[in-house]
Amino acid sequence: MPFYESVFVVRPDSSPQQVEALAGKMETLVQEGGGDVPKTEIWGLKSLAYRIKKNRKGHYVFMNVDASVETLGELERNLRFNEDVLRFMSVRVDRLDSEVSPMMRNKSSRDDRSIRRNTGEAKPPSAEAPDAEAKDGES
């Protein structure tokens, strides 16, 4: 099955519990269609680049989806008709990334509950020692 990354923006007046419930509902929809959602991240309330339906902010939800085209179409159809969803976008990718997304790396560790079913841990970028680069250049 093809892999997709899907992001949707939920109205700012929705509570975090409502956003989590909506994300769970979308996960269930994909699983009922024979797909899998290995990772779901709730990025939280963020400012929008421009107003959408008179809203300046929105709750962002990111999902890795391993499903057929028909199942993705059903997911997008449900997002389109949900009145709480302002925008959504799904992109086909070659492989699913199991690491924490850059949006979640910037958040503090107190928001660990917003990453669900993630097998990877957040790893800080490793800084190579300058000596290692010098040795590579000599050989």
Side-chain angles (χ1 to χ4, degrees):
M1 280 191 274
F3 302 121
Y4 300 95
E5 290 181 348
S6 184
V7 177
F8 57 94
V9 183
V10 182
R11 291 184 318 161
D13 56 346
S14 299
S15 70
Q17 292 80 15
Q18 290 173 321
V19 174
E20 283 190 37
L22 180 61
K25 180 181 173 186
M26 295 303 144
E27 284 179 21
T28 305
L29 184 86
V30 170
Q31 291 166 350
E32 288 174 352
D36 187 31
V37 182
K39 178 174 69 171
T40 299
E41 296 178 353
I42 299 174
W43 292 344
L45 188 64
K46 300 205 172 288
S47 296
L48 300 171
Y50 53 90
R51 283 205 267 180
I52 300 173
K53 298 180 184 175
K54 299 182 182 179
N55 294 298
R56 295 181 185 267
K57 292 187 175 200
H59 293 276
Y60 282 75
V61 179
F62 171 80
M63 296 170 60
N64 277 345
V65 179
D66 179 8
S68 65
V69 176
E70 294 80 19
T71 303
L72 183 73
E74 183 65 19
L75 170 70
E76 289 184 341
R77 188 182 76 79
N78 278 285
L79 290 172
R80 184 175 298 116
F81 291 128
N82 191 318
E83 62 186 26
D84 292 334
V85 176
L86 298 174
R87 289 282 194 276
F88 65 91
M89 180 182 209
S90 297
V91 179
R92 185 173 179 169
V93 293
D94 293 331
R95 64 179 177 82
L96 295 178
D97 193 13
S98 62
E99 293 184 15
V100 177
S101 69
M103 293 295 289
M104 291 304 291
R105 278 189 221 130
N106 294 338
K107 291 185 107 180
S108 65
S109 61
R110 65 183 164 85
D111 289 336
D112 288 338
R113 66 174 177 79
S114 61
I115 301 174
R116 299 188 327 199
R117 286 201 300 253
N118 185 7
T119 57
E121 293 277 329
K123 296 179 183 176
S126 60
E128 291 186 23
D131 295 336
E133 292 175 5
K135 289 179 185 177
D136 289 339
E138 292 174 7
S139 15

